[in-house]
Amino acid sequence: MISVNENVTKYVDTLLDREEEYGIKSYYLENKATVIDCGVSMPGSIGAGILFAEISLGGLGKVSVVPGIIDSYYINFAQVYMDQPAIACLGSQKPGWKLKTEGFSGTAYGPARALSQKPKAIYTAIDYSDDSEVAVINIEAQAMPGVKEMDYIAKQCSTDPECMVALVARPNSIVGSVVNGTRAVEWAMNRLLQLGYDVKNVSSASGACPIAPLKKDDMQFIGASFDGISYYGLAYLYVKARDDRFRDATSQTSKSYGRGFLALLKESQGDYSKVDPTLFAPARIMVNGLQDGSLEAYGKLDPAMLLGSYGLKS
């Protein structure tokens, strides 16, 4: 059986071996857990962001940063490809675990989610679990977790703190921006799951999405980053056969389409759950049927929305 946690230990070792180069710093806590600051107090880097993202995919995907031109502007794009996308995206990369203790708040994703089975319904749908003793977790937070948080995560993962590694970055950081740029396929897979599609039928996938520029505050960055996926994110899926549900798996079908995420998040006071869930989908999906040879395209790109969100003139 695939172990997403064991898959990523080599990536963690690379980060630890090249801390100075990647602009990151590791800490060994009193409970023997390892935490790595990839973009909280440390600046991080593109290289760290690529490894952070590949770890979040459970070692089942490859990430690169490539140049793109939108209306004469040079925009960095995150490019990703993966096999086993149901496990890589929904069983690992999806930010599906809220962490909250006294004095700490964050969102956990990455391989260790498969040990905690959070949320359980997703792992039932994709029929996946991991039983690794090693647990590697990605955390999006404004502060570093301490002994209390790592003890809690280890307990939820049924392992010892000394077997835990946490990689931490703020969303509005170089690492956070690269990781968010790799989520177009994840959003497509999550939307298909919501539509009742058997996501295990997606055998391989690739995606490309602009990497949002860092912003003055976190909400501005999150708005720009999400707009990048909804208005310019692309996903290419290899599936068993065509299915009508793919028509509803792009952001264009949302009643909120045409509005920026910043405005929507302000209206909901930063509560993602109050934003129309159908907008959390890529702009464009290409679907290639393995059994019937079909090739279908859904959705559209909206460069004006993207550039406006970035503060650029189209």
Side-chain angles (χ1 to χ4, degrees):
M1 176 179 284
I2 295 169
S3 170
V4 289
N5 284 277
E6 292 178 5
N7 270 1
V8 302
T9 56
K10 59 185 177 183
Y11 300 112
V12 173
D13 289 342
T14 299
L15 284 172
L16 294 174
D17 288 342
R18 301 168 70 176
E19 290 187 31
E20 184 176 2
E21 175 186 345
Y22 285 141
I24 64 177
K25 187 173 183 179
S26 64
Y27 301 88
Y28 197 52
L29 303 183
E30 292 178 6
N31 62 355
K32 299 183 180 180
T34 300
V35 296
I36 308 175
D37 182 346
C38 295
V40 177
S41 297
M42 298 300 291
S45 61
I46 291 174
I50 289 171
L51 285 167
F52 196 106
E54 291 179 339
I55 289 168
S56 79
L57 289 161
L60 297 172
K62 293 296 182 182
V63 175
S64 57
V65 173
V66 298
I69 304 294
I70 303 176
D71 196 18
S72 80
Y73 292 107
Y74 175 12
I75 305 291
N76 281 330
F77 274 68
Q79 185 171 285
V80 59
Y81 73 86
M82 68 196 74
D83 300 310
Q84 302 289 335
I87 298 174
C89 292
L90 301 179
S92 190
Q93 188 187 30
K94 178 180 168 61
W97 185 3
K98 297 297 183 183
L99 300 175
K100 193 169 182 62
T101 61
E102 186 177 351
F104 181 85
S105 178
T107 301
Y109 56 102
R113 265 190 56 235
L115 298 171
S116 69
Q117 295 280 287
K118 295 183 183 293
K120 179 65 176 177
I122 286 181
Y123 291 96
T124 299
I126 65 175
D127 189 25
Y128 178 70
S129 63
D130 192 359
D131 62 359
S132 168
E133 185 177 357
V134 175
V136 182
I137 193 78
N138 300 75
I139 300 176
E140 180 181 280
Q142 301 295 327
M144 296 294 291
V147 169
K148 178 173 57 177
E149 289 76 32
M150 296 305 292
D151 280 344
Y152 169 76
I153 296 169
K155 183 177 180 181
Q156 296 299 307
C157 294
S158 301
T159 192
D160 297 320
E162 64 188 47
C163 299
M164 286 290 317
V165 178
L167 299 90
V168 193
R170 293 176 290 106
N172 193 16
S173 66
I174 297 175
V175 167
S177 68
V178 172
V179 172
N180 279 328
T182 66
R183 296 193 181 279
V185 176
E186 177 214 311
W187 280 27
M189 296 290 289
N190 190 62
R191 184 72 188 110
L192 288 168
L193 184 65
Q194 292 171 349
L195 291 166
Y197 179 76
D198 185 354
V199 292
K200 298 191 298 296
N201 287 338
V202 185
S203 62
S204 294
S206 64
C209 183
I211 296 173
L214 305 185
K215 292 287 188 176
K216 183 178 180 180
D217 63 57
D218 289 338
M219 192 165 289
Q220 285 182 338
F221 170 79
I222 291 169
S225 184
F226 286 3
D227 285 343
I229 306 173
S230 282
Y231 294 103
Y232 222 85
L234 303 104
Y236 194 111
L237 311 179
Y238 292 94
V239 305
K240 284 188 176 180
R242 69 177 307 280
D243 189 293
D244 289 340
R245 281 169 286 196
F246 290 114
R247 295 183 183 280
D248 297 320
T250 66
S251 58
Q252 188 182 6
T253 63
S254 170
K255 64 184 180 181
S256 298
Y257 187 84
R259 300 191 64 197
F261 268 99
L262 178 59
L264 294 169
L265 288 169
K266 285 182 176 178
E267 288 177 6
S268 67
Q269 298 181 318
D271 186 346
Y272 298 167
S273 67
K274 294 180 180 178
V275 178
D276 179 7
T278 63
L279 192 61
F280 290 87
R284 188 88 159 134
I285 295 178
M286 299 289 292
V287 183
N288 198 178
L290 299 175
Q291 294 178 349
D292 58 10
S294 59
L295 180 62
E296 304 285 342
Y298 305 99
K300 66 177 183 178
L301 302 183
D302 192 332
M305 277 294 299
L306 176 80
L307 295 177
S309 180
Y310 285 7
L312 299 171
K313 294 180 180 180
S314 59

